[in-house]
Amino acid sequence: QATNIAFNVSGGLAGIAGVATVNTITDLTAAYIAKSNVNSAADFGNDVIVRAHSDAFLHTFAGGVAGGFVGTSGTVDRSTINSTTRAFISDNSENKADLSEVSSHVFGKGIEVSASSRETIRVNLLSASGGFSSVAGTVSVADINANTQAFVRDSDVASIGSLKLRADDNAVIDPTITSVSVGGFAGGAAISLNTIKTTVQAQVIGGDLAATGALSVIADSDESITPVVASEGIGGFAIAGSIAVNTIET
């Protein structure tokens, strides 16, 4: 979790305020059984749970205020979350450092292999200026890239109860972008560019699965972008514009 707060205020004959913030979270979360034997066909033991969970949260408050005969204010933010979350049973460690392969054999009363990830970006930006001639601009760029996987590869997995493979991701971008300019000649602009790209997979790759109870392989993703973008110009001659561009790829 990261929270960033940045503000700047200036005044004078010519007041200029500028704020720029860049924030990045990159994480790798993994839970796995690789090249291993857990319990046996003669003794299934208890439940076997392989579970990976990640929760990345990035929140930015930033603003600039400028006043003067000429007032100019600009606020820019770039926020990015790169998240990889994996849970697996495999014949290798899946990190490409060890190329040897030995099938895993896992037995359990119940077996779960699950990967869940949560990514949230919240951005609150303000740019305000006042003067005989004033300009205010606010720009936000937010990106979430998430890869969430739960899988069994080239291994034997047997349960005398349920067997569950599940991958789940929830990604949210929630920006509030505001620009206000007041003066005889006033111009304001607010821009919000948001992108979510996710890969969510639950799969069996060359493995043998057996269960006396329910066997489920489920992948689920939920993405949302909810921008609030506002720009206002007030004066004898005023112009204002707002732009929001949202992209979701799954």
Side-chain angles (χ1 to χ4, degrees):
Q1 177 175 325
T3 300
N4 184 40
I5 300 174
F7 285 94
N8 192 7
V9 179
S10 70
L13 179 63
I16 300 174
V19 177
T21 56
V22 179
N23 308 286
T24 302
I25 293 177
T26 299
D27 64 46
L28 169 62
T29 305
Y32 60 89
I33 296 172
K35 299 189 293 185
S36 301
N37 296 323
V38 179
N39 301 320
S40 66
D43 180 8
F44 276 72
N46 288 313
D47 292 342
V48 177
I49 298 174
V50 183
R51 182 183 296 162
H53 175 77
S54 66
D55 193 345
F57 180 82
L58 184 55
H59 198 174
T60 298
F61 298 90
V65 179
F69 183 78
V70 177
T72 302
S73 176
T75 304
V76 179
D77 175 72
R78 178 77 162 88
S79 294
T80 305
I81 294 178
N82 301 305
S83 175
T84 300
T85 307
R86 301 193 299 174
F88 58 87
I89 298 173
S90 178
D91 63 345
N92 68 87
S93 57
E94 303 288 339
N95 61 12
K96 299 181 181 180
D98 182 1
L99 300 180
S100 64
E101 296 179 352
V102 179
S103 294
S104 293
H105 303 274
V106 179
F107 300 84
K109 187 176 294 184
I111 296 176
E112 173 190 328
V113 180
S114 63
S116 63
S117 54
R118 304 288 181 269
E119 303 86 27
T120 303
I121 294 178
R122 288 199 174 97
V123 181
N124 298 90
L125 301 183
L126 169 67
S127 184
S129 65
F132 178 77
S133 176
S134 67
V135 177
T138 309
V139 178
S140 169
V141 180
D143 294 311
I144 292 177
N145 302 289
N147 186 343
T148 307
Q149 298 184 357
F151 61 90
V152 173
R153 186 194 303 276
D154 293 327
S155 296
D156 299 325
V157 180
S159 170
I160 55 174
S162 63
L163 200 167
K164 303 176 182 177
L165 269 71
R166 182 176 182 88
D168 176 78
D169 178 72
N170 181 270
V172 175
I173 297 179
D174 182 19
T176 300
I177 315 301
T178 306
S179 178
V180 179
S181 180
V182 180
F185 299 91
I191 299 173
S192 179
L193 307 176
N194 309 291
T195 302
I196 295 176
K197 295 181 179 180
T198 63
T199 299
V200 183
Q201 296 176 321
Q203 56 188 331
V204 180
I205 310 165
D208 292 323
L209 272 59
T212 58
L215 193 159
S216 57
V217 180
I218 299 171
D220 179 69
S221 64
D222 186 6
E223 299 83 22
S224 67
I225 301 175
T226 56
V228 177
V229 184
S231 178
E232 185 173 7
I234 303 172
F237 178 81
I239 185 170
S242 300
I243 298 173
V245 179
N246 306 310
T247 303
I248 296 178
E249 298 180 11
T250 61

